[in-house]
Amino acid sequence: MPSSPAKPVYRGPTKREVLAVAIGGLIGTGCRLAIDAALPHAGHAFPWSTFLTNLLGALVLGWLVGGLWKVPGVPRWVRAGVGAGVLGSFTTFSAVMVSLVGMSTSGVIGETLVYLLLSVVLGLGAATLGLRLGTLEAHRRMPRGISDQGETL
């Protein structure tokens, strides 16, 4: 009976990946804090900073997953640092939930529902757009005169 080739075993994150996520987390958190400071809001007001941050993060992550991360040779630690690190700390589901609770307990139920709906629908739309843009970028044709033999532009 012929044996099938063994699948590679994932042994967990490397030290480099963990460090990349930690450093990326600091960067993403700092960027999020800067946007929160630029667009402050009271607990009952529409949380523009959280809303815009999450849409931007969904777009960028979609673009990366659809394009750059399909390019051979992008190290796992870069993907982990930018994806889970920078964008994971930049966009947070918990911030959406805290905003929803703050708005709903303040009695602005209509605005709370609009925020929830817009966050989900536009977040999915931003991620889809990012995936499509990234895929287009990854599949664009190489300029004439440049071979695809590992040369850089």
Side-chain angles (χ1 to χ4, degrees):
M1 178 176 205
S3 63
S4 60
K7 291 184 180 180
V9 176
Y10 178 66
R11 303 195 189 286
T14 64
K15 289 178 183 177
R16 179 178 275 179
E17 291 167 350
V18 171
L19 183 61
V21 170
I23 292 170
L26 292 171
I27 294 167
T29 301
C31 291
R32 181 177 195 89
L33 180 61
I35 292 173
D36 284 342
L39 300 169
H41 67 279
H44 65 281
F46 194 90
W48 285 105
S49 59
T50 301
F51 181 71
L52 296 173
T53 297
N54 287 334
L55 291 182
L56 177 61
L59 177 71
V60 171
L61 187 59
W63 178 75
L64 289 171
V65 169
L68 181 63
W69 290 353
K70 290 182 179 178
V71 175
V74 176
R76 282 184 43 186
W77 67 268
V78 170
R79 293 176 188 171
V82 174
V86 174
L87 293 170
S89 64
F90 183 66
T91 63
T92 59
F93 186 68
S94 60
V96 173
M97 294 301 108
V98 167
S99 295
L100 286 169
V101 169
M103 292 171 71
S104 66
T105 57
S106 297
V108 287
I109 301 302
E111 196 169 337
T112 302
L113 293 174
V114 167
Y115 173 60
L116 175 61
L117 183 66
L118 288 176
S119 292
V120 171
V121 172
L122 294 180
L124 287 171
T128 301
L129 177 62
L131 281 167
R132 289 181 188 225
L133 292 174
T135 301
L136 287 173
E137 180 70 22
H139 293 97
R140 71 182 176 153
R141 293 179 185 228
M142 294 293 291
R144 295 186 191 271
I146 298 177
S147 69
D148 195 12
Q149 303 299 317
E151 297 176 34
T152 59
L153 295 178

